[in-house]
């Protein structure tokens, strides 16, 4: 049943491999809970799910973990109801904990400029690290989206990148001249030396010549920023790109499209960051601040 459900998640719903793995791990825990208490999948109802979630909370599960488990169960019960396994779908009656939306850690414009003004080395690895950081900051893409880019996804005539995001949704993102210059350096002086047949059409390749993995891309960002005297991660560059766009006058709807958010609610967190700039301006400029 879980195998069929996994195929449904990835094939029909377009969920990422990371999401599928997380959901399946949660649901194995739920099925074990049912078995321990003498129930079958067909017995799933709101009370049983709440009992399992309560045990998760008692075991120290975070709010984010509990929210993900609720989402996993809702997806499963909707699928089982559609397949005729459950007579009714208890999913809509389940609610997860409210999420505390913390302000993302970002580089300010000066820190980003200083980090990216450092001349890269000439070694292929140095060129790749510089290009990875430049593209992440220039486009605001997720690190998994960056690793999935192919050579043909970069449109040099329009200065854009075609990105395949969550739910297999495609979007086109503008990319600036510094990132394109870093890409040119990587493509001419780095990729030819590192690529193998295993890399295929991948824009970025790893040490063995295959497509660059997410873990290695994260290490590239950490290593580059540490060498530049800064601290950050790939998602921090995404946060920074969004915040700097808003600080520069971009409207929220454009930033939502830029980031590939399905809902404006996901983008609104960045307004809390950019309001700090407004507050600083207010304090400096208003006579009664």
């Amino acid at each position: 049943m879980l195998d069929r459900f996994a195929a449904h998640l990835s094939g029909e719903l377009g969920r990422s491999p990371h999401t599928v793995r997380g959901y399946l791990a949660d649901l194995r825990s739920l099925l074990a809970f049912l078995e321990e208490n003498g129930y079958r999948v067909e017995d799933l109802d709101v009370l049983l799910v709440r009992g399992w979630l309560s045990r998760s909370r008692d075991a120290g599960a975070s709010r984010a973990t509990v929210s993900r488990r609720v989402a996993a169960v809702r997806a499963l019960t909707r699928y089982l109801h559609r397949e005729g396994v459950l007579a009714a779908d208890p999913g809509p009656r389940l609610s997860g904990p409210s999420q505390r939306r913390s302000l993302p850690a970002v580089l300010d414009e000066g820190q980003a400029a200083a980090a990216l003004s450092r001349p890269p080395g000439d070694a292929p690895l140095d060129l790749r690290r510089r290009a990875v950081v430049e593209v992440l900051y220039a486009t605001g893409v997720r690190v998994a989206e960056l690793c999935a880019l192919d050579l043909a996804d970069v449109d040099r005539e329009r200065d854009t990148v075609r990105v395949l995001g969550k739910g297999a949704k495609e979007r086109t993102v503008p990319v600036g001249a510094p990132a394109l210059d870093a890409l040119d350096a990587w493509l001419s002086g780095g990729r030819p030396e590192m690529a193998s047949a295993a890399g295929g059409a991948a824009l970025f390749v790893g040490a063995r010549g295959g497509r660059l993995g997410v873990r290695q891309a994260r290490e590239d960002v950490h290593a580059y920023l540490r060498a530049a005297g800064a601290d950050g991660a790939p998602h921090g560059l995404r946060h920074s790109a969004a915040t700097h766009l808003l600080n520069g006058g971009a409207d929220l709807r454009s930033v939502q499209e830029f980031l590939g958010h399905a809902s404006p609610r996901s983008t609104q967190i960045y307004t809390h960051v950019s309001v700090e700039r407004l507050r600083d301006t207010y304090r400096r400029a208003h006579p009664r601040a």
Side-chain angles (χ1 to χ4, degrees):
M1 184 269 289
L2 284 182
D3 289 341
R4 294 195 302 274
F5 179 61
H8 164 72
L9 287 174
S10 58
E12 295 184 40
L13 301 185
R15 297 293 187 263
S16 70
H18 178 76
T19 297
V20 174
R21 284 194 300 271
Y23 279 17
L24 292 184
D26 292 334
L27 296 174
R28 289 189 186 99
S29 171
L30 172 63
L31 295 178
F33 174 82
L34 293 177
E35 186 176 1
E36 289 169 12
N37 291 277
Y39 293 100
R40 303 172 303 161
V41 173
E42 293 84 348
D43 300 320
L44 262 178
D45 60 16
V46 171
L47 292 179
L48 284 174
V49 175
R50 285 176 179 166
W52 171 64
L53 293 173
S54 177
R55 191 173 75 170
S56 298
R57 285 190 291 267
D58 292 343
S62 68
R63 297 165 71 91
T65 296
V66 173
S67 291
R68 189 195 65 225
R69 290 184 172 178
V70 170
V73 173
R74 282 176 177 162
L76 177 67
T77 57
R78 184 167 56 246
Y79 169 76
L80 293 178
H81 178 55
R82 190 190 76 175
E83 296 295 306
V85 177
L86 294 179
D89 179 8
R93 296 169 59 196
L94 295 170
S95 60
S98 59
Q99 290 294 302
R100 298 189 182 98
R101 298 178 69 81
S102 58
L103 297 179
V106 299
L107 300 173
D108 62 35
E109 286 93 332
Q111 291 172 321
L116 293 170
S117 65
R118 185 176 66 88
D122 295 328
L125 180 58
D126 294 328
L127 295 175
R128 187 187 73 195
R129 285 176 171 171
R130 174 58 172 261
V132 163
V133 171
E134 283 277 14
V135 172
L136 284 172
Y137 177 60
T139 63
V141 297
R142 303 172 179 91
V143 65
E145 294 171 345
L146 174 119
C147 293
L149 291 175
D150 287 335
L151 294 166
D153 291 329
V154 181
D155 186 337
R156 297 307 301 265
E157 291 187 4
R158 297 194 299 162
D159 293 343
T160 59
V161 175
R162 184 174 65 239
V163 181
L164 191 64
K166 288 185 175 181
K169 294 180 180 177
E170 186 178 292
R171 68 186 189 278
T172 299
V173 181
V175 58
L180 291 173
D181 290 343
L183 274 177
D184 287 341
W186 156 247
L187 293 174
S188 62
R191 190 182 186 281
E193 295 190 30
M194 297 183 70
S196 70
L203 180 61
F204 291 105
V205 296
R208 298 183 181 180
R211 184 179 294 274
L212 182 67
V214 168
R215 180 177 297 180
Q216 186 57 64
R218 293 184 192 280
E219 176 53 33
D220 279 359
V221 173
H222 288 298
Y224 182 89
L225 293 180
R226 277 197 305 266
D231 187 27
H235 216 62
L237 293 175
R238 177 171 163 87
H239 291 325
S240 300
T243 303
H244 298 169
L245 278 170
L246 287 168
N247 286 345
D251 63 274
L252 197 65
R253 181 66 183 86
S254 297
V255 176
Q256 178 190 345
E257 186 73 19
F258 177 77
L259 296 175
H261 285 158
S263 165
R265 290 187 59 194
S266 300
T267 315
Q268 283 169 351
I269 188 171
Y270 297 105
T271 63
H272 299 301
V273 180
S274 59
V275 81
E276 293 298 325
R277 181 186 178 102
L278 178 62
R279 187 179 289 114
D280 290 341
T281 301
Y282 176 81
R283 287 170 179 161
R284 290 196 306 268
H286 197 287
R288 298 185 69 83

